[in-house]
Amino acid sequence: MVQDGTFKTRDSTWKCESTRMAAAPPSYCFVAFPPRAKDGLVVFGKNSARPRDEVQEVVYFSAADHEPESKVECTYISIDQVPRTHAIMISRPAWLWGAEMGANEHGVCIANEAINTREPAAEIEALLGMDLVRLGLERGETAKEALDVIVSLLEEHGQGGNYYEDANSCHSFQSAYLIVDRDEAWVLETIGKYWAAEKVTEGVRCICNRLSLTTKMDAEHPELRSYAQSQGWWTGEGEFNFSEVFSPVEDHLDCGAGKDSLEKQEESITVQTMMNTLRDKASGVCIDSESFLTTASGVSVLPQNRSFPCIHYFTGTPDPSRSIFKPFIFVDDVKLVPKTQSPCFGDDDPAKKEPRFQEKPDRRHELYKAHEWARAIIESDQEQGRKLRSTMLELEKQGLEAMEEILTSSEPLDPAEVGDLFYDCVDTEIKFFK
């Protein structure tokens, strides 16, 4: 992006008005490891703070084999496809290809945060940070494999492009990632093609929209430090502190209250604790402002004992304090859920045509539309809203209790019983709203 609000594509340049949106509030993701997390479970959670009117869809893609030399069309560019991609379940802004958060069949979860650094984000359309979330899930069997996928694609293609479906705002960002599996997590923070990562295997970790790595880096781009020196950001002497070197001079974003909301929990952290944290508006973890909203949320439970399945919960609707987390388990025959998928506009989609975003189609899916009624009731009628929210939480509780039985059962999981799990939960929710 250049100063007049112009993005360059590989073949052309398109212009959007240079009006800026209000500064984005912090968006959080968390991971907790045993023994801070209960019962040998790794617990992962993410809130997606995005423009208020943006629809997020929840979509399953099965594992697939691909022809040699085939391409995959990401949000703005096409790249080489790999021979095989893993099954994934993702939550994503409905206009783009990638994902804000998601999981794959091997128990890898990834979430992305947009960050500002001293290095301005790229002026060309390249891979979005959200594209790299999906690519990491599709191609990585472990958290470390997914990290390697992301950094190699960064090196080859770079990152850049508008993060919002809006011709009137040109926002391009660098990216941070929380990449988690049953054994470990990696915090990956990027500046263009340069990056550093820290391995986490205990305690609680939170990332938001600012750099968090300091002097503990377990992997880094081979030219990271020489690049910092070439820019005059580091003298080459003394300890190398990643955040101090690469953070913008005026970095006023405060993620402290949100970070503390989970870290200061005195009890062991459970899936319910994580959901409660994501619903917490007082700490700023759950966003509901004039321009921005927590448009979708996700929580995953990854048992370190591999005889138990990973369980992933998605809202598919805005504001987790007024939404139901619905469970999903990877099995061979997953029943697709069209009611959480937005309409497809194909090549006529204004996000795919240049100049981009000249129109904004209605991307609401069936669950989103049904949930709008519930949000309106909760906001307008105190007594009826309280009863409605209580019933919604009861529905969620039933799902949580059923999943708890799976995680404590001595019997092996019957795939036939959970293939339509997410489908049934969405269907029940929509019927309830009607």
Side-chain angles (χ1 to χ4, degrees), residues 421-433:
L421 176 64
F422 190 72
Y423 180 98
D424 287 345
C425 290
V426 169
D427 208 44
T428 302
E429 184 176 350
I430 289 174
K431 285 174 181 169
F432 166 67
F433 290 148

Side-chain angles (χ1 to χ4, degrees), residues 328-399:
F328 171 85
I329 297 174
F330 284 94
V331 289
D332 285 341
D333 294 311
V334 169
K335 188 170 184 179
L336 300 179
V337 187
K339 291 173 182 176
T340 63
Q341 288 183 241
S342 296
C344 179
F345 301 97
D347 291 337
D348 292 328
D349 196 315
K352 293 185 177 179
K353 296 195 291 189
E354 294 181 27
R356 300 195 197 277
F357 313 129
Q358 299 304 296
E359 300 170 63
K360 214 170 196 179
D362 184 356
R363 299 188 187 275
R364 294 174 303 161
H365 47 73
E366 193 172 336
L367 175 63
Y368 188 100
K369 289 178 180 176
H371 182 259
E372 282 182 316
W373 170 83
R375 283 166 63 200
I377 294 291
I378 290 169
E379 285 167 15
S380 64
D381 186 320
Q382 194 170 3
E383 181 57 24
Q384 192 182 354
R386 187 185 61 76
K387 288 179 180 174
L388 176 61
R389 189 168 178 276
S390 175
T391 311
M392 289 168 72
L393 289 174
E394 183 57 37
L395 275 176
E396 180 181 278
K397 184 182 171 192
Q398 290 170 19

Side-chain angles (χ1 to χ4, degrees), residues 135-162:
L135 290 162
L137 291 171
E138 288 186 336
R139 302 178 181 197
E141 283 193 27
T142 65
K144 182 58 167 60
E145 267 188 31
L147 181 146
D148 292 340
V149 165
I150 290 171
V151 298
S152 66
L153 290 169
L154 263 183
E155 183 77 28
E156 186 175 356
H157 302 287
Q159 58 182 320
N162 201 345

Side-chain angles (χ1 to χ4, degrees), residues 5-65:
T6 301
F7 267 105
K8 294 176 184 173
T9 66
R10 302 264 159 140
D11 308 309
S12 62
T13 301
W14 63 274
K15 190 167 178 98
C16 62
E17 299 301 319
S18 56
T19 315
R20 289 288 186 266
M21 296 183 77
S27 175
Y28 290 89
C29 48
F30 303 91
V31 65
F33 283 90
R36 287 289 284 115
K38 200 174 177 186
D39 300 331
L41 304 175
V42 178
V43 186
F44 168 88
K46 157 79 174 169
N47 267 355
S48 178
R50 300 280 301 172
R52 281 195 76 89
D53 61 347
E54 185 176 79
V55 176
Q56 218 162 118
E57 60 179 351
V58 179
V59 195
Y60 171 80
F61 294 94
S62 58
D65 295 310

Side-chain angles (χ1 to χ4, degrees), residues 92-371:
R92 66 176 181 185
W95 62 271
L96 54 76
W97 179 85
E100 271 279 287
M101 54 202 157
N104 73 17
E105 60 184 306
H106 301 290
V108 178
C109 301
I110 310 180
N112 159 259
E113 301 290 356
I115 52 174
N116 288 309
T117 68
R118 286 175 103 162
E119 172 84 7
E123 296 176 2
I124 63 164
E125 290 186 340
L127 291 173
L128 286 177
M130 291 170 281
D131 292 339
L132 288 160
V133 170
R134 178 169 172 180
L135 290 162
L137 291 171
E138 288 186 336
R139 302 178 181 197
E141 283 193 27
T142 65
K144 182 58 167 60
E145 267 188 31
L147 181 146
D148 292 340
V149 165
I150 290 171
V151 298
S152 66
L153 290 169
L154 263 183
E155 183 77 28
E156 186 175 356
H157 302 287
Q159 58 182 320
N162 201 345
Y163 258 60
Y164 299 134
E165 182 193 17
D166 189 351
N168 296 318
S169 71
C170 298
H171 278 272
S172 189
F173 295 97
Q174 312 286 14
S175 297
Y177 305 85
L178 186 59
I179 310 169
V180 181
D181 63 23
R182 294 178 191 254
D183 301 311
E184 63 189 31
W186 287 85
V187 176
L188 169 64
E189 297 181 348
T190 68
I191 302 98
K193 70 174 186 177
Y194 301 98
W195 57 273
E198 179 185 350
K199 182 177 173 179
V200 181
T201 56
E202 60 184 17
V204 173
R205 188 59 182 262
C206 162
I207 70 167
C208 77
N209 304 77
R210 63 181 300 178
L211 295 175
S212 67
L213 300 181
T214 55
T215 56
K216 183 183 182 294
M217 291 172 286
D218 297 299
E220 63 185 80
H221 190 283
E223 297 165 14
L224 177 72
R225 299 182 192 217
S226 58
Y227 177 70
Q229 277 186 272
S230 73
Q231 299 299 304
W233 298 333
W234 185 53
T235 63
E237 297 174 7
E239 205 165 35
F240 184 82
N241 184 310
F242 185 84
S243 292
E244 286 183 6
V245 171
F246 290 107
S247 291
V249 177
E250 295 187 5
D251 186 6
H252 302 307
L253 185 67
D254 181 18
C255 300
K259 186 168 175 279
D260 291 345
S261 64
L262 190 66
E263 285 185 353
K264 291 187 175 176
Q265 291 283 342
E266 292 182 10
E267 303 293 320
S268 293
I269 293 165
T270 64
V271 62
Q272 186 68 67
T273 318
M274 187 66 77
M275 290 174 182
N276 293 346
T277 299
L278 297 183
R279 287 174 164 138
D280 185 5
K281 291 185 174 176
S283 68
V285 171
C286 182
I287 298 297
D288 190 353
S289 68
E290 187 178 341
S291 302
F292 289 88
L293 183 65
T294 297
T295 53
S297 304
V299 171
S300 291
V301 178
L302 315 175
Q304 292 191 315
N305 181 342
R306 281 170 165 71
S307 61
F308 294 108
C310 298
I311 303 175
H312 312 281
Y313 298 84
F314 297 91
T315 59
T317 53
D319 190 346
S321 71
R322 297 166 181 179
S323 290
I324 300 173
F325 284 90
K326 297 163 284 291
F328 171 85
I329 297 174
F330 284 94
V331 289
D332 285 341
D333 294 311
V334 169
K335 188 170 184 179
L336 300 179
V337 187
K339 291 173 182 176
T340 63
Q341 288 183 241
S342 296
C344 179
F345 301 97
D347 291 337
D348 292 328
D349 196 315
K352 293 185 177 179
K353 296 195 291 189
E354 294 181 27
R356 300 195 197 277
F357 313 129
Q358 299 304 296
E359 300 170 63
K360 214 170 196 179
D362 184 356
R363 299 188 187 275
R364 294 174 303 161
H365 47 73
E366 193 172 336
L367 175 63
Y368 188 100
K369 289 178 180 176
H371 182 259

